[in-house]
Amino acid sequence: INHSEITHLFIGGKNAVTQCHQDIDWGNVLHTNLTGTKTFYLYSPKDQYNVYRHPSTMRSYINPVRPDYEKYPKQKNAVCWSVTLQPGDTLFIPSGWFHHVVYHSISTSITMRFHKNWFQFLRGVYNLTVRMTFDKIMNKIVPRWWWNYKSTVR
């Protein structure tokens, strides 16, 4: 689906961290690092239970750099791929893959996001409209209970 291509510019500071998550639009990503260095830690969507994806979100609060196996014991079963990008390197992240990013220096990058079929596109629409809206509503009406629920569901 060529009409769903989206380009983003990312700028991050030294030691910045992007927590482990799946992209909510469910697109495939070509991420090109322009300046600086950063490391991506990647998990297959098949590992969503091993990385403790929070219900009704695309987030996981595991830390692949400093795993807490006492709090997240199933993380031991997750297969983690890591790659450090230098200027000029491009990384392909398939739809639905979890990624955690650590910036080692000030970094600028550009990404192109695209959907290879209607299923991916519609899954992204569902995530953006239903899943994210439900999470926001629950965060407003019962924030503490909802956070505790999301944090304890295994």
Side-chain angles (χ1 to χ4, degrees), residues 76-90:
K76 289 179 186 176
N77 301 324
V79 176
C80 180
W81 300 78
S82 66
V83 60
T84 299
L85 298 184
Q86 304 294 330
D89 290 344
T90 297

Side-chain angles (χ1 to χ4, degrees), residues 27-31 42 90-95 97 112 114 116:
N28 297 292
V29 174
L30 283 173
H31 184 93
L42 303 151
T90 297
L91 174 65
F92 173 68
I93 304 173
S95 173
W97 278 63
M112 186 179 79
F114 60 95
K116 69 178 182 177

